[in-house]
Amino acid sequence: MAEHTSSGGPTLEEGGETRRDFLYLATGAMAAAGTVIAIWPFIDFMNPSRDVLALSTADVDLSPIEVGQAITVTWRGKPVFVRRRTAVEIESAANVNLADLPDPQPDSARVKKPEWLIQIGICTHLGCIPLGQRPGDPRGDYGGWFCPCHGSHYDTSGRIRKGPAPRNLDLPPYQFVDDGRIRIG
Amino acid sequence: MSAPQWKNPIVRWIDYRMPIFTLIHHDLVDYPTPRNLNYWWNFGSLAGFLLVVMIVTGVMLAMHYTPHVDLAFVSVERIMRDVNYGWLIRYLHMNGGSMFFLVVYIHVFRGLYYGSYKAPRELLWMLGVVILILMMATAFMGYVLPWGQMSFWAATVITNLFSAFPVVGESVVHWLWGGFSVDNPTLNRFFSLHYLLPFVIFGLVFLHLWALHTHKSNNPLGIDVKGPQDTIPFHPYYTAKDMFGMAVLLLVYLAFVFFAPNFFTEPDNYIPADPMVTPHQIVPEWYLLPFYAILRAVPNKLGGVVLMFASILILFVLPWLDTSKVKSARFRPIYKQLFWILVVDCIALGWVGANRPEGVYIVIGRIATAYYFVHFLILVPLVGWLERPRPLPESIGAPVLGGGGAAVGATPKPMEKA
């Protein structure tokens, strides 16, 4: 509209490289960049805050857990399964043909000490908590865990053996502080 | 304005079924705007911009805020310390409130100076007053949410205003509190309403704009648009001017946010609310100080409350109190002086409101309060009759286009086909 006010000004036939176009593009680019920069704090605002991140480790005392028992602890708001496996369970977990597994992983890659299996207790299918921690729970066909939501069976190493779950139970990062304690996270 | 022909087939398909593109074109692009608007006309769009900023930052803050007496204060401190950019979002919201009132007050005084409240814009003006009242209610309730000492005692004092009304006063106050003192139910309902009212304001802004676009903007000369030579299209002229104004506003606003974020607030509000101890000095936020001064100017509880509410409500009838047919103060030599006296009067009221009601402040407060009402109830109607306005120009375009003759090459093209 305003181009019509000056008669001697440059016209579009010059390829559009006029002062006005330059100013228009420069202003638009500045406005776009400024908007993007201004939006970032609003997005980051919704990310986990410092106090949430500070809760990202959990210490667990292993000494009260007898052989064959399991406990569930909370880490980052999720259940973590800690099971002190029996010799039979360790053996059955180790003697598995990896080619039979949907998500092949040797038992040795899933534990730091064979006696202690520590994994995130969330079914990798759709996020339910598998049964098998308590003595009376169904443990599925492979003696590990059984997810009641859609029937996934996990073995004594927490590996998926049957059912819709795509992956073995996830492992949290953890380390042994000493023989009787671990720090998750 | 003829309806535009859309080339894009998708745009044309949508526009045929719901003419949203035609509406935007009509009201934001082609929209004929008086060619002589000055910078005082920037403040409406700035207020709209700040409303959006307040809603966006407020919705974000609500994601981390907890409306409970035991948790509200710590949740705000958590936003300040632990939440990513929480300090920024909260300071934008806090100072945004002050900027919003600053901009709106300038917008209101612009209307007073140029007579924008006069026929046929009375409804437009009254909708604006409703928006102003809702803004005050929203700002007050927002101030309560951090649950600091000032929050708590502001809530106590302001809700107690209603106890001044005879017979029903006490029941009304208990109803407002949801209990026998300001407590958790009060905080919960204030949070609920503080979240709701901005969206009510947002709706009213659209009514305000509807009324505005029916008779179009007033202008510094206060005379009606006589034809296409008096207007220019909103885009690019006023979109560009509004963007420039917005950049200036952002400079001021962000200067406070980054360099003096607590300039407008009381340090006492960083002390958690204590229902057993009132701070030594209680003052409202700066934008409510003039009304606070009016409240304290009257030595009678009910009288003070009534006058305070009347000071805002009087704006509703201003279009009928002003008897002058001339809109702009440019052509009203006496009213122009009265306008500036009113500005000084309002600033004096704010200054009195910020100080303890002792000695000279009581006297000044009473004089300023009396003058405020004298201005609207006596001077404005009288001056309309007595004043002899200066001659009005023939048209908006005439002074710039040389005697109102046909514009030579200076008239923007879209106007020619109108």
Side-chain angles (χ1 to χ4, degrees), chain B residues 30-42:
Chain B
D30 236 2
Y31 182 66
T33 316
R35 63 190 309 144
N36 60 335
L37 298 188
N38 57 29
Y39 276 110
W40 299 112
W41 263 262
N42 273 56

Side-chain angles (χ1 to χ4, degrees), chain A residues 37-138:
Chain A
I37 292 167
I39 284 172
W40 171 245
F42 288 83
I43 295 170
D44 198 31
F45 187 78
M46 292 169 75
N47 272 326
S49 58
R50 303 274 178 90
D51 57 329
V52 172
L53 294 176
L55 291 176
S56 57
T57 61
D59 286 351
V60 183
D61 182 8
L62 301 176
S63 56
I65 308 169
E66 302 291 334
V67 174
Q69 280 189 332
I71 63 164
T72 305
V73 297
T74 307
W75 172 68
R76 285 187 171 174
K78 301 178 204 175
V80 172
F81 290 170
V82 178
R83 182 184 280 192
R84 188 170 183 181
R85 300 191 290 185
T86 63
V88 179
E89 286 172 337
I90 297 169
E91 202 189 329
S92 77
N95 299 331
V96 164
N97 183 6
L98 291 186
D100 296 344
L101 300 176
D103 182 8
Q105 202 179 17
D107 185 57
S108 57
R110 296 182 55 79
V111 291
K112 287 203 163 80
K113 294 182 180 179
E115 196 174 29
W116 297 101
L117 176 62
I118 291 134
Q119 50 191 349
I120 294 172
I122 294 177
C123 181
T124 56
H125 180 222
L126 289 172
C128 294
I129 299 173
L131 299 170
Q133 287 292 89
R134 291 182 193 163
D137 282 354

